[in-house]
Amino acid sequence: MTGLRVLITNITLAGRTGTEIVVRDLALGLARAGDRPMVYAPRSGPIADALRRAGIPVVNDIAAVPATPDVIHGHHVIQTAVALARYPQVPAVFVCHDREAWHDTPPRLPGVRAWATVSDSFRTRVAADTGLAPEAVQLVLNGVDTDRFQPGPALPPRPRRALAFAKNQGHLDGIRTACARRDISLDVVGAAVGRIVDAPEALLPAYDLVFASALTAIESLACLRAVVVCDGRGLAGMADLATYEALRHGNFGVGTFTGPVTAGAVGAAIDRYDPVMAVAVGQRLRAEAGLTAWTDRWRAVYAGILASPAGPEDSEARNLALAVHLQTWDPAVAPSSWTAERASLIRTLARLGSGLEPLDPGVSVAATDGDRLALTGFHTPEAWGVWSAQPTCSLRFRPATAFGPGRIRLRLAPFLPAGSPDARLTVTLNGQPLGELSFPGADGAEPRDVWFAVDALDGVTDAWLGFHSTPCRSPVSLGLSADGRRLGFSLIEVAIEPD
């Protein structure tokens, strides 16, 4: 099936974020396959210009789309809804690219006939937002244009030149220190340091070692470079054949991180540098993630939704769904995801000079305290605390100077109605196991305090608590709670207590 008119939506094409690169590569791949891609994005930039030069229409106004599409490939909640409002009879697939960002919330509109994501860890988010079982969310792992990203020269026995990508900054100090100790020259590029690279394919082959995450890590591997998977949110380690499958299914992103980016942890990852292994990993990725195979996977998704039943035509129901969607995203309605994000960003800017406020020994801190705790993988905070149905989530805090040895106290509660399978929660500190808890299914279970012994935290700038949850007795999804939320656990309070 060729000649499909595919309308791709995206929140912007004015920069070089991951989804913008995905839009570019997908549009070019579809055009090579004989389809007719079109792109709608409210803002344009160099990627939009490049697509236009390739003969692919890119419009900032939905009214300017040159032809009625056969299928909508939706990125981002607002832009996908705009396309569905313009073309209510056209089926769509919505693709989630982020575990937390408000703009990746799936729109609850009848035109969406398929849901997809690029990472196993994002499936839970889509399932929670739509009420689907996780297995009903299709997984289409990101691809890379292997014609654009060519293998570089043979890697040396030990790394001499390294490149770090910085879309945020929390990892740079650890990387700089670790590289300096090993006499590895380091260059840094990315938005966080004011050096945007428009053609990374021309830059990557010149380096032996790359520090990157997500799509940039995939591009680096395609150039057969050794890659330490990390960014300012955490560290996964050196990509090798033993970790490849988990990293690939986690999109080399936040769901694969297991600890903070300290100089010691980065150094341990660098010391696992193996040029033969790096080439083997890169060759595997090139074989699996090339543009043609990736584009064909998406074309199979389109064929599936075009072949699926359209459902009864009910303009009243369709109009109601659109009205509810607009109401949900009305900034006057509270709580609003994007206004909450704005408030959070304002708080972040206010404390950029010093980072998180220190967590003093003996002081209990609510899990919702954004000044002292940085959360990843938890759902929107509520009045009583936070909760997560993700298989992996974490919190970061800055301990007071020279804390420990002592204990970390967590006030937790299961989020499991009666009769559900037991759930097991493994807790780690800076990637090292602290202990394991078992929560029995019990409706309305009371919160409980748990203590974990820790060694001294001298000299630790950030401490990273990780939570990894799995069902004990059932290999299937734990399902939904009585009020419609996914099952998991809640975190109410955190404290560090000296012995």
Side-chain angles (χ1 to χ4, degrees):
M1 180 174 57
T2 58
L4 278 181
R5 295 184 297 270
V6 181
L7 177 61
I8 308 168
T9 73
N10 213 64
I11 195 169
T12 182
L13 278 184
R16 199 187 177 279
T17 61
T19 57
E20 292 172 89
I21 301 304
V22 167
V23 167
R24 180 199 67 191
D25 290 351
L26 178 61
L28 292 173
L30 290 172
R32 292 179 195 175
D35 293 318
R36 297 171 55 191
M38 306 171 286
V39 181
Y40 162 63
R43 295 191 297 154
S44 291
I47 287 179
D49 294 339
L51 288 175
R52 292 181 181 120
R53 289 194 296 271
I56 296 170
V58 179
V59 301
N60 308 126
D61 180 354
I62 195 66
V65 175
T68 300
D70 298 306
V71 66
I72 295 168
H73 182 112
H75 296 164
H76 305 130
V77 61
I78 301 296
Q79 290 67 40
T80 301
V82 168
L84 286 167
R86 173 67 178 88
Y87 301 106
Q89 307 303 321
V90 176
V93 53
F94 180 80
V95 189
C96 177
H97 287 267
D98 192 278
R99 193 161 71 175
E100 296 172 326
W102 66 267
H103 47 258
D104 266 288
T105 304
R108 303 293 293 272
L109 293 169
V112 180
R113 291 198 208 163
W115 310 90
T117 184
V118 300
S119 166
D120 273 337
S121 66
F122 301 163
R123 271 179 156 165
T124 307
R125 190 250 175 101
V126 177
D129 288 344
T130 61
L132 294 169
E135 54 268 23
V137 181
Q138 300 190 55
L139 179 65
V140 182
L141 301 174
N142 272 329
V144 61
D145 188 342
T146 51
D147 290 338
R148 181 187 295 267
F149 289 89
Q150 288 285 329
L155 294 173
R158 60 172 297 274
R160 297 174 302 224
R161 298 191 65 200
L163 178 66
F165 284 85
K167 57 186 175 185
N168 38 41
Q169 294 199 29
H171 56 322
L172 294 182
D173 287 346
I175 291 173
R176 288 188 177 110
T177 301
C179 286
R181 289 173 179 171
R182 289 158 179 80
D183 196 27
I184 300 171
S185 67
L186 175 69
D187 294 326
V188 181
V189 298
V193 294
R195 188 185 173 195
I196 301 295
V197 177
D198 292 329
E201 64 272 20
L203 188 65
L204 283 167
Y207 292 89
D208 313 318
L209 178 65
V210 181
F211 300 92
S213 65
L215 192 58
T216 307
I218 294 174
E219 294 169 343
S220 304
L221 289 171
C223 293
L224 304 190
R225 304 299 91 187
V227 177
V228 174
V229 180
C230 66
D231 62 30
R233 298 167 295 177
L235 171 73
M238 181 71 76
D240 59 24
L241 290 177
T243 60
Y244 172 84
E245 195 72 22
L247 291 171
R248 176 93 171 106
H249 278 255
N251 195 40
F252 299 87
V254 66
T256 67
F257 299 158
T258 57
V261 192
T262 63
V266 173
I270 294 173
D271 292 342
R272 296 182 62 244
Y273 173 89
D274 180 342
V276 176
M277 177 65 74
V279 170
V281 175
Q283 288 175 336
R284 178 172 175 183
L285 182 129
R286 290 180 64 86
E288 296 177 358
L291 193 61
T292 299
W294 178 62
T295 303
D296 286 346
R297 177 73 178 92
W298 278 119
R299 297 178 77 242
V301 173
Y302 306 153
I305 62 175
L306 287 170
S308 66
E313 178 57 39
D314 187 340
S315 59
E316 182 65 22
R318 197 177 287 271
N319 291 341
L320 176 60
L322 180 58
V324 169
H325 172 87
L326 293 173
Q327 178 177 265
T328 299
W329 293 97
D330 182 348
V333 177
S336 169
S337 297
W338 71 265
T339 53
E341 182 184 75
R342 179 178 181 274
S344 175
L345 288 173
I346 290 172
R347 291 195 302 270
T348 300
L349 286 172
R351 63 173 190 266
L352 273 179
S354 61
L356 291 171
E357 294 180 11
L359 188 58
D360 294 313
V363 176
S364 297
V365 174
T368 54
D369 187 339
D371 292 332
R372 291 174 175 82
L373 304 178
L375 304 175
T376 300
F378 287 89
H379 302 285
T380 303
E382 302 186 27
W384 49 265
V386 296
W387 68 281
S388 176
Q390 302 285 1
T392 301
C393 56
S394 63
L395 70 84
R396 179 172 57 86
F397 65 88
R398 184 158 66 91
T401 303
F403 167 74
R407 301 184 299 172
I408 292 178
R409 178 176 62 83
L410 305 175
R411 179 161 292 175
L412 302 166
F415 189 35
L416 307 169
S420 67
D422 292 357
R424 184 172 59 247
L425 185 68
T426 301
V427 183
T428 61
L429 175 63
N430 293 348
Q432 300 301 312
L434 278 183
E436 186 174 279
L437 304 171
S438 180
F439 290 123
D443 194 13
E446 291 295 321
R448 74 191 200 200
D449 288 336
V450 295
W451 288 264
F452 298 101
V454 297
D455 295 327
L457 296 178
D458 292 346
V460 174
T461 303
D462 287 341
W464 185 296
L465 280 175
F467 303 91
H468 313 273
S469 56
T470 54
C472 284
R473 294 200 301 257
S474 173
V476 300
S477 168
L478 290 175
L480 296 173
S481 68
D483 65 4
R485 292 177 293 183
R486 304 300 295 183
L487 300 179
F489 77 98
S490 61
L491 175 64
I492 301 160
E493 197 171 88
V494 179
I496 52 177
E497 302 175 351
D499 284 342

